[in-house]
Amino acid sequence: MRAFIIQCKGSAMRITSLIGVMLFFCASAFAQNENSISSITANQQGANVIVKVILKNPLEKTPLSFSIANPARISFDFANTSNATGKSAFDVGLGEVRNVNLIEVPGRSRLVFNLNRSLNYATLVEGNTLIVTIDGSGGIATPVNSLGLPAVEKTKTAIKPTLKDIDFRRGAGGEGRVIIDLPNNQIAVDPRLQGQKIVVDFFNVGLPEILKRNLDVADYGSPVQKISTERQGENVRMYIEPKGLWEHSVYQSDTQLVIEVKPLKEDPNKLTQGSQGYKGERIGMNFQDIDVRAVLQMLAEQGGVSIIASDSVVGNITLRLDAPWDQALDVVMQIKGLDMRKNGNVILIGPKDELLLKEKLELEQKAAIAELEPLKTESFQLKYQKADSLQKLFGADSTSSSSHNRLLSKRGSVMIDPRTNQLFVTDIASKIEEVRKLIQKIDIATKQVVIEARIVEADNKFSRNLGAKLGFADLRKMSGGDAGYQLQGNQRVAVTGNYLGVGEQTGQATITEKSFIPNTQFVNLPAAGIAGLDAGSFATSIFSAAANRFLNLELSALEADGDGKIISSPRVVTADQTPAHIEQGQDIPYQIATLSGGTAILFKKATLSLDVTPQITPDGTIILTVDVHKDSKGEETRGGPVINTKQVKTNVLVDNGGTVVLGGIYTQEERSDVTKVPFLGDLPLFGNLFKSTGKTNNKTELLIFITPKVQLTGSFVNQ
């Protein structure tokens, strides 16, 4: 037993020794991976500012870097590096560089260059020294070595790299994408705006003859109209000519450079047109084969959000971009096939299929829980709505089935009691809560609307009639003389108004008391009456001394002038979106023949009616669906009375308390009538004795006004 214990102690000692050795090697490895920044120096060469960052240990690779346009900054992140300078701020004051800040956080240190304006930069690593060259001229920066000379890479004698392909594609949103395939991801590219063109320079690269062409892409329906590519010495220059209102972005993924031109919809309420909804701070990125998770971390810090990347988000990315940080995030996700879910200030990023699968599993879990969750029953007392009106909503009527019910779960049910106006709902707690929220929204007092219509009929009538009667009588036969006028010998001629009158003068017909009234008239064209009234007349007679020869003349005239106005004002009160009807008038009977050969009496309405349905909009205005009838009894015919119909049917938007004219009918009738004796009625002046004239000028106007008012609860309308 004692030996066993000793042996165990020996094993324990060996294990302890092994752990100590492992900790020693781990500490040594950690010490080797740890680095520190010893000093920072800066000098100026022409327009360029050269900053040397000296570290304790050599750098294995160039630290991560990115730039921000506003404010103008360049940032470097040194992993597993501490600040050994003893300072956090360095005043530079050279060229466009104001100062440098060195911030140490657990696991890394960030070096920030504060600039006067956004500039390009280049880096070079020499052992434990990082040399940063900031080009103050605004052009492409060229890295320099520790001696201040341009860094020249040792290259093998090889063929000059050339652009592989230039392509154009139209996006789903109408954007134009110019896609350039580069020979490698180390090609220097300088995109910039030059007037209304986008100019892209490719440095130290050739252009095949097949790509030296002009592309007309106006037919694609994007802002891009033309693309032209040409050689510029040792470089290649591309011109992109857009049209209209647009914005562009440039990004590079590995060896593929994409220049995207998006159309902008002009908003008249904005002084300047935005950038398609991207509101983040603009940053410049130039990464070569960098871990995508490091890029996401950098974007999270820049945007002030928390980004949680799924474990399946892996791989490296080569990216060159100058855009707002949120647009940069979209570009990175698009390149790597990722998607995001946002909850407040936290963004979850992962592959699209993974996020969709996760959401599907969550929904299936919720559905499974709902199948096992106990049921509850709750009653709801309705205040304003009728319980019967909710039958179709819950699928409880005879025409609906439970499969059409979207409010309750599969196990849910509802019972409606019209007598007490209650609902009894049986379902899981979450569904009952949804029903409660729904009833709170729909079971509310409905606003009422007072609709007043005014129908105004105005008329102006003018009529004028003129006429004359002319007659001649010879009464010498009655006094014992000879009738008529002697022509020759015993031949005589009698003159009167008609055949009977001649016979009476010559003795061929018996003279009566009424003989001289109609039978002596040559012209009988008196003025017609108006509205049942006879025309006024003036008569005169020229006769002989013996009173046996008469020339009679009668002039008649009648003129009527009238103005009238009829105002009808129906008024009705109804609830919001509820039809209302008001009617006043009479039913007019008329007789029709039946199939049996007899007659029957039917009635036809001649009424004033108003049909209206109001709808109160959220902004307080009222939409009215109006149908106004103004019918009246007209003239009598053999088939019965005529019904004069006036109707307006329309939809109109009216302010609360405002008045609108729905419509109007204006009628004008002008008529001139002449009845005359041919030839004689055309004589000047004397022709008026042989004709009758009538003139009519009637004007009628119908106007319909309507005024809606929202009635407050408890108020009333004065009648």
Side-chain angles (χ1 to χ4, degrees), residues 4 10 64 67 77 85 168 201 212 312 375 399 405 435 482 528 535 575 581 586 602 625 649 651 662 676:
F4 176 77
L64 299 178
S67 62
D77 281 345
T85 62
F168 176 82
D201 287 333
K212 187 181 178 182
S312 50
L375 299 179
T399 61
N405 184 14
V435 172
D482 296 328
H581 174 79
Q586 57 183 343
L602 296 181
T625 301
K649 187 176 182 180
N651 290 341
L662 296 184
K676 63 183 179 179

Side-chain angles (χ1 to χ4, degrees), residues 552-564:
N552 302 319
L553 175 65
E554 179 183 319
L555 300 177
S556 58
L558 182 64
E559 181 176 311
D561 191 0
D563 292 327

Side-chain angles (χ1 to χ4, degrees), residues 467-678:
K469 291 183 180 181
L470 181 63
F472 176 78
D474 188 356
L475 305 181
R476 287 180 294 177
K477 178 69 175 177
M478 298 178 61
S479 58
D482 296 328
Y485 298 90
Q486 184 178 2
L487 295 178
Q488 183 179 359
N490 197 28
Q491 299 178 355
R492 305 179 72 86
V493 60
V495 180
T496 187
N498 56 33
Y499 184 81
L500 180 60
V502 172
E504 291 176 345
Q505 286 191 23
T506 59
Q508 301 176 68
T510 303
I511 301 176
T512 62
E513 295 179 354
K514 300 181 179 179
S515 297
F516 301 102
I517 299 176
N519 300 336
T520 61
Q521 295 179 352
F522 292 114
V523 179
N524 187 17
L525 298 174
I530 300 176
L533 300 177
D534 297 331
S537 62
F538 173 79
T540 185
S541 179
I542 301 175
F543 54 95
S544 64
N548 54 17
R549 296 180 181 177
F550 297 86
L551 179 63
N552 302 319
L553 175 65
E554 179 183 319
L555 300 177
S556 58
L558 182 64
E559 181 176 311
D561 191 0
D563 292 327
K565 182 185 292 184
I566 301 175
I567 301 177
S568 305
S569 184
R571 179 184 300 175
V572 65
V573 181
T574 183
D576 183 26
Q577 302 188 37
T578 302
H581 174 79
I582 187 172
E583 183 178 13
Q584 180 188 10
Q586 57 183 343
D587 290 344
I588 300 175
Y590 64 98
Q591 193 176 39
I592 63 171
T594 62
L595 296 177
S596 61
T599 60
I601 302 297
L602 296 181
F603 293 87
K604 190 172 184 180
K605 291 183 177 294
T607 61
L608 169 65
S609 64
L610 172 65
D611 294 274
V612 61
T613 303
Q615 178 185 346
I616 304 174
T617 64
D619 58 355
T621 58
I622 304 172
I623 300 175
L624 296 176
T625 301
V626 187
D627 188 3
V628 181
H629 281 266
K630 181 66 170 67
D631 301 337
S632 60
K633 182 179 179 181
E635 62 182 6
E636 293 287 342
T637 66
R638 297 181 62 182
V642 174
I643 305 299
N644 300 322
T645 302
K646 303 178 181 68
Q647 180 183 10
V648 173
K649 187 176 182 180
T650 184
N651 290 341
V652 65
L653 178 65
V654 194
D655 292 332
N656 182 21
T659 301
V660 64
V661 181
L662 296 184
I665 301 175
Y666 179 79
T667 304
Q668 182 174 4
E669 179 185 2
E670 293 184 1
R671 186 180 182 88
S672 296
D673 298 319
V674 178
T675 305
K676 63 183 179 179
V677 178

Side-chain angles (χ1 to χ4, degrees), residues 129-199:
T129 304
L130 173 67
I131 304 174
V132 183
T133 304
I134 301 174
D135 193 327
S137 64
I140 302 298
T142 303
V144 299
N145 55 22
S146 57
L147 300 177
L149 302 176
V152 180
E153 296 182 357
K154 295 181 180 179
T155 57
K156 296 180 179 180
T157 304
I159 301 176
K160 184 178 181 180
T162 60
L163 299 181
K164 293 183 178 181
D165 191 19
I166 300 174
D167 192 14
F168 176 82
R169 299 174 187 175
R170 184 184 184 275
E175 65 274 11
R177 295 191 180 101
V178 184
I179 304 173
I180 303 99
D181 288 337
L182 306 175
N184 55 69
N185 56 14
Q186 303 296 324
I187 300 298
V189 182
D190 180 25
R192 64 188 184 279
L193 286 176
Q194 191 176 84
Q196 297 297 319
K197 297 181 181 180
I198 302 174
V199 181

Side-chain angles (χ1 to χ4, degrees), residues 380 433-444:
F380 299 92
E433 184 63 26
E434 292 179 5
V435 172
R436 179 182 290 105
K437 292 180 180 179
L438 176 64
I439 292 177
Q440 288 177 354
K441 291 183 178 181
I442 65 176
D443 190 25
I444 58 177

